Amino acid sequence: MSMNICEQEFTSVSERATCSAHGEDSAYFAGWEEYRRNPYDSLLNPSGVIQMGLAENRLSFDLLEEWLVKHPEASVNFQQDLFKELALYQDYHGLPAFKKAMANFMEELRGNKVKFEPERIVNTAGATAANEVLMFCLADPGDAFLVPSPYYAGFDRDLRWRTGVEIVPIHCYSSNNFQITKSAVESAFKEAQKRKMNVKGILITNPCNPLGTTSSAEILKMLLEFSMKKKIHLVCDEIYSGSVFSSPHFYSIAEIVAKQHYMADNVHIVYSLSKDLGLPGFRVGAIYSYNNSVVTAARRMSSFCMVSSQAQHLLSIMLSDSNFIKYYIQENKKRLKERHNLLVSGLAQAGIEQLDGNSGLFCWVNMRHLLPSHDLEGELKLWKSILEEARLNISPGSSFNCMEPGWFRVCFADMNMSTMEVALQRLQRFAKEYKIIANAKL
């Protein structure tokens, strides 16, 4: 008997479509879903879930809004001819004015200690696209990149899902504040070789997500020299480079390259305006490579993930306003530090310690003393209890490939002050009650 085409089940899809490497089923994304289903609102839903799992910077958004009011020329509606020009096809090399402004902004964030050539910048739709494009340019399916852990939960999606590239963790531990060591790098390299993987490079985030710390000049130099010795690439995701709010000093890999006078055609930098400027919805990322072949290939691939002409036009004007940019950078760092200190103080009142951080939009928090059992199962039980009882979405360390159960990432920059105070009250109350229950079971 023939079946109507509308009744047929089409099950033949690509392996990529059914691959679990995206990581969307992890606790990291599951917490977001709980927040979406029941979001906190001080008036409409005061018992809802407060989002503390999203690294988004809303603390300085008012500064951007004020600038926009004063600069109507940044809008495409300002001139009819401009609207027509931006609405039509653009060269995927990007608007020259925007690339120049982006290069200047990246230099300003690094204290103008390094120079960036605009022609080496490849625009992409966010850092997610930038990292994936680099993987396509630098590695083939089955090749490996060494990545210090704990690492950003989205890297399984960004680096692996569509490219087929494998991640081999460089395991870092709390005993030395999760710093990268040469022995850990060598161990990861040997592990990859043992698994018969072709190691194509090392990828680090500096400042680090989720740790909220910066890498020292010595560590960066070690990584650069190791990669050169092994003839592999070094990718430095510096998306939080403008969000370093206290000492120690942030060193860009570009500074190390300049000071050591290396032939650095194996070095590549990823950047985005999503964190420092708080514009994740604009989808503005960039690759800066010292390798001519990579620049050419990445530019070709960027046609699949271009930045809109409207966004480039607006941001070229904003980033070229040097007085505003200088003020914004300093004021944003000030606000980040104040909010970070508030979170640290609130955690201390709850009897919770954290890694001493100096950057980013989050704290790396130690809740090992609250674990019902010191393993992955215990961590996920604690995470679920915090989500369901305290109604706080924070991210468990296992989502970041942390080897030590009990660490969590807590974000602090995507909410107003009153919401932060409610969140801290909930966390303090939960920690106190949870500890009493745990002690009663002993």
Side-chain angles (χ1 to χ4, degrees):
M1 179 176 178
S2 63
M3 180 181 290
N4 186 290
I5 191 169
C6 295
E7 298 175 347
Q8 295 180 21
E9 293 184 8
F10 292 93
T11 58
S12 180
V13 296
S14 71
E15 290 184 8
R16 188 174 291 105
T18 57
C19 177
S20 62
H22 183 282
E24 196 173 46
D25 56 349
S26 71
Y28 177 75
F29 290 106
W32 289 12
E33 285 302 314
E34 287 299 315
Y35 167 75
R36 291 190 187 100
R37 281 193 284 265
N38 183 27
Y40 169 83
D41 184 285
S42 59
L43 297 177
L44 301 177
N45 190 22
S47 63
V49 176
I50 295 177
Q51 173 68 288
M52 303 188 84
L54 180 62
E56 186 173 70
N57 183 8
R58 301 186 187 184
L59 300 185
S60 300
F61 206 76
D62 60 305
L63 302 181
L64 304 179
E65 293 175 319
E66 291 172 4
W67 184 91
L68 285 172
V69 171
K70 296 176 182 177
H71 295 82
E73 71 276 13
S75 170
V76 297
N77 299 320
F78 186 68
Q79 302 176 46
Q80 185 175 358
D81 291 343
L82 176 62
F83 173 79
K84 182 178 181 180
E85 178 184 346
L86 296 177
L88 300 178
Y89 277 118
Q90 301 290 328
D91 189 330
Y92 58 72
H93 286 64
L95 300 180
F98 174 64
K99 294 177 74 171
K100 184 176 185 299
M102 190 74 162
N104 290 339
F105 182 61
M106 291 170 65
E107 292 171 3
E108 184 69 36
L109 293 178
R110 292 156 180 77
N112 293 302
K113 295 178 180 178
V114 294
K115 299 294 292 184
F116 291 107
E117 303 172 29
E119 60 269 22
R120 289 195 173 277
I121 290 179
V122 178
N123 299 330
T124 62
T128 292
N131 278 313
E132 185 184 57
V133 166
L134 273 177
M135 292 301 103
F136 275 123
C137 289
L138 304 179
D140 294 309
D143 289 344
F145 259 76
L146 312 182
V147 182
S149 71
Y151 57 72
Y152 168 51
F155 275 163
D156 284 322
R157 171 198 63 199
D158 301 356
L159 308 182
R160 298 179 55 217
W161 184 39
R162 299 198 299 182
T163 66
V165 171
E166 298 293 336
I167 294 176
V168 176
I170 300 172
H171 292 301
C172 303
Y173 299 93
S174 61
S175 56
N176 72 336
N177 295 323
F178 296 98
Q179 293 185 60
I180 307 168
T181 64
K182 186 176 182 180
S183 60
V185 177
E186 291 174 338
S187 178
F189 190 88
K190 291 177 182 177
E191 173 63 22
Q193 289 184 317
K194 182 179 178 181
R195 293 162 59 183
K196 301 190 182 308
M197 291 179 173
N198 181 29
V199 178
K200 294 304 294 286
I202 300 171
L203 185 146
I204 69 166
T205 57
N206 180 38
C208 179
N209 176 9
L211 301 180
T213 58
T214 49
S215 296
S216 67
E218 291 73 24
I219 289 175
L220 293 175
K221 184 179 178 182
M222 178 271 291
L223 291 171
L224 182 54
E225 292 179 345
F226 182 91
S227 64
M228 294 179 70
K229 179 181 178 181
K230 298 294 185 181
K231 293 182 171 54
I232 60 177
H233 295 276
L234 177 60
V235 178
C236 294
D237 186 333
E238 298 185 350
I239 192 174
Y240 292 99
S241 54
S243 299
V244 181
F245 47 78
S246 61
S247 60
H249 172 74
F250 165 68
Y251 289 95
S252 169
I253 192 63
E255 290 183 60
I256 308 303
V257 169
K259 287 180 180 179
Q260 301 297 325
H261 303 291
Y262 287 122
M263 292 292 292
D265 65 348
N266 69 322
V267 175
H268 322 278
I269 297 172
V270 169
Y271 186 61
S272 166
L273 299 181
S274 295
K275 309 301 182 180
D276 297 337
L277 212 56
L279 297 174
F282 273 41
R283 309 311 303 145
V284 179
I287 295 168
Y288 188 89
S289 178
Y290 293 88
N291 187 299
N292 294 334
S293 297
V294 171
V295 171
T296 299
R299 186 176 293 127
R300 291 169 179 166
M301 290 187 183
S302 70
S303 61
F304 296 97
C305 54
M306 293 174 65
V307 181
S308 75
S309 300
Q310 182 176 350
Q312 290 187 58
H313 168 72
L314 186 157
L315 292 168
S316 65
I317 297 175
M318 179 183 286
L319 297 180
S320 297
D321 187 342
S322 59
N323 290 332
F324 169 72
I325 289 302
K326 290 179 187 295
Y327 170 71
Y328 176 89
I329 291 172
Q330 293 307 313
E331 180 64 19
N332 185 54
K333 289 182 178 182
K334 176 184 174 183
R335 296 182 184 188
L336 286 173
K337 184 174 183 179
E338 290 173 349
R339 183 59 66 85
H340 174 268
N341 291 343
L342 176 65
L343 176 58
V344 169
S345 175
L347 290 170
Q349 292 180 46
I352 298 172
E353 299 178 346
Q354 81 293 319
L355 189 68
D356 188 15
N358 68 329
S359 52
L361 314 176
F362 32 72
C363 280
W364 189 236
V365 174
N366 182 359
M367 295 189 184
R368 287 182 289 186
H369 64 294
L370 296 177
L371 290 177
S373 60
H374 290 275
D375 52 20
L376 175 60
E377 183 180 359
E379 178 179 279
L380 293 179
K381 282 184 178 179
L382 177 58
W383 164 75
K384 192 172 183 179
S385 295
I386 295 171
L387 185 61
E388 295 178 349
E389 298 172 28
R391 298 179 306 286
L392 299 173
N393 176 37
I394 65 175
S395 305
S398 54
S399 296
F400 302 91
N401 204 61
C402 182
M403 295 295 291
E404 301 178 24
W407 289 89
F408 292 78
R409 192 191 73 170
V410 181
C411 299
F412 58 77
D414 64 334
M415 66 191 77
N416 58 35
M417 185 67 78
S418 61
T419 303
M420 171 62 79
E421 291 172 351
V422 173
L424 289 175
Q425 290 169 5
R426 289 185 183 183
L427 187 58
Q428 290 162 4
R429 184 167 56 250
F430 173 85
K432 181 179 179 180
E433 294 174 354
Y434 201 80
K435 189 173 183 180
I436 291 174
I437 293 173
N439 290 336
K441 292 180 178 179
L442 295 178

